[in-house]
Amino acid sequence: MDETRRSLIKGMLTGGTLLAFGIPTVTQAVSLSQTLSGSTQNYQLLLGNTPIDEAFAKGAQTACTRYIDYRQGTLPAFKLKDELLTNPLRIVDLLTQSRNMRWIAVMDHASAAIFTELVRNFEGRLLSLGSHMSSSGNNASLPMRHMWTTASPVYSAGGLLASLLTQNQHDFSIVENFLEQAEKDSAMSDSSSAEFSSFRLAEQPATHLYCAGVSPLEASQRIGWKTSENWQPVLSRGDKSSIDQDKTATDAAIEYPRFDNWIEATGYAVVATALGMGIQQASCSSRAFVHRSNQRNLNHQGLSEKHFVSFVIDV
């Protein structure tokens, strides 16, 4: 392996959780200074010929219409057929012809494995890689599970997605791992909504946990984190300080769009973050949102047992 390729491989994802979802174990960290400038407006949606393309694209286009600084109005979309599996060189040509482009891609796990390797060999900058799935059945304690690895909290979509899913009383977990921490400590004032309580792990302060309807101990068990009782509450719901009150007022002032299903919400969150609408970015190396509602919302409109991968890359 030469030095150029070696420099692209910055992080090995710990544990086997992503492997269980079919995600390759390597992803690329990138310095914030290397990414597209804020004035760049070249974005494109890459649809990988999956059953969830339509729903994801609907959420993506909603993000475009709500983002006042995005002048194109709609997000151009390129639809794959079977090129990725049968003719990967076609994708290489596509990437070659799209310099200074930010791609937001969605595809199945088999295509994702090939696409990840193509991006790495092409020296593209992988900013975000997410695994998303929903399961059905009364025994599913957390029917929706999302896991992201991102270059830094700047590209985090977890907080936004948590806010969207909470509106519809979904039970879910969102886990994010950041390959580069933000420089400024936000003092954990970045919880996605007033409905969540915030915690920091005593022995690992850079690990943050947000819980709603579940204890931090149970939440950490549900997402496969090392069991610990040393979760320290930070700005919990019971804290009526002025900071907490200001935060609650801010949350109430934010109006999020409502979606028919969780895939539309995921498309919105991924694209909104890629466009620069990222909110509530934490200064941490990993964080998780775990939400369990008092209602049993088992109607996923035929979108249970769905799983897919999302990417945000710069080329």
Side-chain angles (χ1 to χ4, degrees):
M1 182 183 297
D2 59 37
E3 289 300 322
T4 300
R5 177 163 176 166
R6 188 189 306 276
S7 66
L8 296 177
I9 305 175
K10 297 294 186 181
M12 292 293 293
L13 302 180
T14 59
T17 308
L18 283 186
L19 284 176
F21 291 114
I23 298 297
T25 56
V26 290
T27 188
Q28 175 190 350
V30 59
S31 170
L32 302 186
S33 62
Q34 292 178 301
T35 61
L36 293 177
S37 65
S39 61
T40 302
Q41 298 294 312
N42 297 321
Y43 303 90
Q44 189 142 343
L45 185 63
L46 180 64
L47 301 175
N49 193 26
T50 71
I52 58 88
D53 283 355
E54 183 178 350
F56 189 92
K58 182 178 179 180
Q61 298 301 347
T62 302
C64 293
T65 59
R66 290 177 63 93
Y67 187 36
I68 60 175
D69 292 331
Y70 185 67
R71 304 303 180 187
Q72 288 181 241
T74 60
L75 192 66
F78 182 89
K79 296 183 179 181
L80 293 175
K81 294 183 179 180
D82 57 357
E83 293 98 330
L84 196 55
L85 297 176
T86 62
N87 186 15
L89 292 180
R90 172 72 178 89
I91 307 304
V92 173
D93 291 339
L94 178 65
L95 295 175
T96 302
Q97 298 167 14
S98 59
R99 289 292 185 180
N100 297 320
M101 179 78 72
R102 175 163 292 177
W103 285 91
I104 301 101
V106 56
M107 56 192 64
D108 59 31
H109 291 87
S111 298
I114 298 174
F115 189 70
T116 302
E117 187 65 21
L118 291 176
V119 171
R120 184 165 57 239
N121 283 312
F122 187 74
E123 299 186 8
R125 295 184 287 273
L126 181 58
L127 307 180
S128 173
L129 184 156
S131 173
H132 317 278
M133 69 180 300
S134 174
S135 58
S136 61
N138 294 329
N139 294 326
S141 59
L142 294 172
M144 293 182 199
R145 289 176 285 171
H146 304 264
M147 180 170 288
W148 266 288
T149 296
T150 62
S152 81
V154 172
Y155 308 105
S156 165
L160 178 54
L161 181 58
S163 296
L164 296 173
L165 295 179
T166 300
Q167 290 184 134
N168 290 332
Q169 297 298 312
H170 288 301
D171 294 349
F172 62 86
S173 67
I174 300 173
V175 178
E176 299 179 294
N177 294 291
F178 308 118
L179 302 181
E180 179 179 293
Q181 291 189 48
E183 295 181 359
K184 185 177 180 180
D185 188 356
S186 60
M188 294 221 23
S189 60
D190 52 305
S191 174
S192 80
S193 77
E195 191 165 339
F196 286 88
S197 295
S198 307
F199 299 88
R200 176 181 284 134
L201 192 58
E203 57 268 29
Q204 297 177 354
T207 299
H208 297 176
L209 180 62
Y210 303 88
C211 302
V214 61
S215 69
L217 179 59
E218 182 182 353
S220 60
Q221 292 174 335
R222 295 291 183 186
I223 61 178
W225 280 4
K226 182 179 179 180
T227 302
S228 174
E229 297 182 358
N230 296 325
W231 290 104
Q232 299 177 342
V234 182
L235 295 180
S236 65
R237 282 172 291 181
D239 185 353
K240 298 303 180 180
S241 65
S242 59
I243 295 178
D244 194 38
Q245 293 173 2
D246 290 344
K247 178 183 167 17
T248 302
T250 301
D251 287 335
I254 298 177
E255 294 184 4
Y256 297 108
R258 289 186 176 273
F259 296 98
D260 294 333
N261 58 70
W262 70 275
I263 294 178
E264 291 178 6
T266 303
Y268 179 93
V270 172
V271 171
T273 305
L275 295 178
M277 295 170 61
I279 60 172
Q280 298 141 352
Q281 297 159 3
S283 176
C284 58
S285 59
S286 60
R287 71 172 178 173
F289 298 85
V290 180
H291 180 272
R292 187 167 61 194
S293 69
N294 294 325
Q295 304 176 22
R296 294 300 295 173
N297 188 345
L298 300 178
N299 180 15
H300 301 303
Q301 297 191 349
L303 294 177
S304 61
E305 304 301 335
K306 300 296 184 183
H307 46 85
F308 61 94
V309 180
S310 67
F311 296 90
V312 177
I313 65 169
D314 283 352
V315 297

